[in-house]
């Protein structure tokens, strides 16, 4: 009996191994549009796919970022300036993509653009702080997707949305976690709707990687700014010790972040090029061994674990 079960598991593992390594044909003829290519995951993915011979359409926020990317890639790669918070910019970029892909359609849409600040304790923030992050990470992603969807459907292609482990376990205040939970929900509904048309939707859930989004210097500066803007009553409640402890934890973030961004971009590449892409990709050992299992634990256990490892104010009401 045990031998039969071992053989069954072995055969299933071999089948999954074989399926995951089947690659889509004619990759050199397929167009992929990537947002947020100035730096980080988007920049590396654009260069990675370009080396593989795919036709990359890279959207950058700044002309400087676009120029630097073009200097590091082949003539196949083309760039466009895109601000995902502006409808007119998205419409212009969509028309630009349509002119290039023609009747072939767009094989891959990678929604990578994102920001992390303002971020901090919820009570230190205002509604506008939440709206700023949501506008980029969630509403911008949704509008870009809806605008590009006819082109993706024509190619029976792929939509790759970059979420986060913080879209499974909310570890900090502000809109970042909220936006990533929203990306998860939008991607799930989109995947079920588009399966009818042969379009596949994948979610990338990176752990903590060293990018501009997780830069300790930027996060600390943002936290200090939020602290300075809060009322004297809030500052008295939380206290200087809380602020100092919070900043200390943020300063240690760079050391805890993985510097190998290819762990994430390899997941993106697989989702774009595999015949049978996964629904979700957990990138990084912290995502696989800690945050993903944590998200399946009973809520009271997660709350207790995070309570004893999180920052707590020195004073309370």
């Amino acid at each position: 009996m045990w031998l039969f079960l071992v053989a069954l598991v072995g055969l299933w593992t071999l089948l999954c191994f074989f399926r995951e390594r089947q690659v889509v044909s004619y990759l050199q003829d397929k167009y992929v549009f990537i947002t947020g290519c100035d730096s980080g995951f988007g920049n590396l993915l654009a260069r990675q796919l370009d080396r593989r011979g795919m036709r990359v359409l890279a959207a950058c926020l700044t002309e400087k970022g676009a120029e630097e990317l073009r200097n590091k890639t082949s003539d196949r790669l083309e760039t466009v300036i895109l601000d995902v918070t502006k409808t007119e910019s998205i419409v212009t970029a969509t028309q630009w993509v349509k002119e290039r892909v023609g009747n072939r359609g767009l094989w891959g849409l990678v929604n990578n653009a994102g920001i992390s600040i303002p971020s901090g304790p919820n009570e230190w923030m205002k509604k506008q702080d939440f709206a700023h992050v949501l506008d980029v990470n969630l509403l911008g992603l949704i509008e870009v997707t809806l605008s590009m969807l006819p082109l993706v459907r024509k190619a029976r292609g792929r939509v790759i949305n970059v979420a986060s482990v913080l879209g499974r376990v909310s570890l900090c205040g502000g809109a970042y976690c909220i936006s990533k939970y929203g990306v998860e929900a939008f991607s799930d509904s989109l995947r079920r709707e588009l399966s009818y048309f042969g379009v596949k939707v994948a979610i990338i859930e990176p752990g903590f990687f060293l990018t501009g989004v997780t830069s300790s210097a930027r996060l600390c500066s943002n936290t200090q700014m939020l602290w300075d803007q809060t009322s004297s009553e809030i500052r008295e409640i939380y206290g200087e010790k809380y602020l100092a402890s919070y900043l200390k934890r943020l300063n240690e973030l760079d050391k805890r972040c993985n510097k190998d961004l290819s762990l994430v971009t390899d997941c993106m590449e697989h989702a774009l090029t595999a015949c049978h892409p996964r629904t979700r990709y957990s990138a990084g050992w912290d995502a696989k061994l800690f945050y993903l299992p944590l998200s399946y634990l009973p809520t009271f256990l997660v709350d207790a674990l995070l309570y004893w490892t999180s920052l707590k104010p020195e004073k309370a009401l």
Side-chain angles (χ1 to χ4, degrees):
M1 179 65 179
W2 287 108
L3 186 61
F4 174 76
L5 289 175
V6 170
L8 193 62
V9 170
L11 286 173
W12 176 255
T13 303
L14 285 174
L15 176 62
C16 292
F17 182 85
F18 174 73
R19 278 172 57 88
E20 287 217 338
R21 276 150 186 78
Q22 290 183 291
V23 179
V24 173
S25 57
Y26 305 110
L27 287 177
Q28 67 277 7
D29 296 328
K30 299 190 183 301
Y31 285 86
V32 177
F33 181 77
I34 310 168
T35 66
C37 291
D38 297 76
S39 61
F41 301 137
N43 186 279
L44 180 57
L45 178 64
R47 291 185 279 123
Q48 195 168 315
L49 296 181
D50 179 63
R51 288 194 299 269
R52 189 150 184 180
M54 298 186 76
R55 297 185 176 275
V56 179
L57 304 175
C60 298
L61 181 61
T62 65
E63 184 55 50
K64 179 183 177 183
E67 184 179 357
E68 290 177 352
L69 180 58
R70 287 195 299 268
N71 292 336
K72 296 177 182 177
T73 52
S74 72
D75 293 338
R76 284 189 307 273
L77 183 141
E78 298 181 72
T79 60
V80 65
I81 303 302
L82 172 65
D83 183 343
V84 299
T85 67
K86 292 183 169 62
T87 297
E88 59 272 19
S89 181
I90 294 173
V91 170
T92 301
T94 302
Q95 183 59 35
W96 178 84
V97 171
K98 188 175 182 179
E99 291 170 359
R100 277 146 185 80
V101 303
N103 292 326
R104 282 171 291 195
L106 180 64
W107 172 255
L109 167 62
V110 182
N111 285 305
N112 166 74
I115 58 174
S116 61
I117 56 177
S119 177
N122 289 312
E123 201 172 6
W124 298 8
M125 304 176 73
K126 300 175 182 176
K127 177 183 176 182
Q128 298 92 311
D129 297 323
F130 287 85
H132 179 63
V133 176
L134 290 171
D135 209 19
V136 177
N137 293 3
L138 182 57
L139 299 179
L141 178 149
I142 291 172
E143 188 170 9
V144 169
T145 302
L146 296 180
S147 186
M148 298 281 182
L149 213 47
L151 300 175
V152 177
R153 188 166 50 239
K154 181 176 290 187
R156 295 172 67 87
R158 313 281 169 85
V159 177
I160 316 299
N161 291 331
V162 180
S164 169
V165 292
L166 298 185
R168 283 181 172 267
V169 182
S170 187
L171 299 180
C172 60
Y176 186 79
C177 295
I178 298 171
S179 70
K180 294 306 181 181
Y181 270 83
V183 170
E184 295 270 353
F186 175 66
S187 300
D188 281 344
S189 63
L190 194 69
R191 183 182 67 254
R192 291 163 187 143
E193 290 172 6
L194 296 183
S195 62
Y196 178 80
F197 302 100
V199 175
K200 293 181 170 61
V201 179
I203 306 171
I204 311 296
E205 299 173 328
F208 284 87
F209 286 83
L210 189 57
T211 66
V213 171
T214 56
S215 167
S216 289
R218 293 185 63 196
L219 290 171
C220 286
S221 175
N222 161 77
T223 300
Q224 186 65 58
M225 180 192 69
L226 290 175
W227 174 262
D228 294 339
Q229 291 178 355
T230 57
S231 66
S232 57
E233 180 184 1
I234 294 295
R235 288 199 293 270
E236 184 179 352
I237 291 171
Y238 281 83
E240 293 288 344
K241 289 183 179 180
Y242 184 96
L243 174 64
S245 182
Y246 200 99
L247 291 174
K248 181 181 177 182
R249 292 281 293 273
L250 290 179
N251 272 316
E252 294 171 352
L253 189 60
D254 281 354
K255 300 175 184 176
R256 301 196 342 247
C257 288
N258 197 323
K259 296 179 177 62
D260 186 5
L261 304 188
S262 66
L263 294 175
V264 178
T265 56
D266 285 348
C267 292
M268 296 174 174
E269 182 178 344
H270 185 271
L272 289 165
T273 61
C275 290
H276 306 285
R278 304 175 199 170
T279 301
R280 280 179 169 81
Y281 292 83
S282 295
W285 287 113
D286 58 339
K288 290 181 172 68
L289 299 181
F290 182 70
Y291 294 109
L292 182 60
L294 189 68
S295 69
Y296 289 110
L297 290 178
T299 302
F300 78 94
L301 286 179
V302 178
D303 289 349
L305 178 62
L306 296 181
Y307 176 82
W308 290 111
T309 59
S310 67
L311 297 167
K312 293 176 285 295
E314 297 292 326
K315 301 178 182 177
L317 284 172

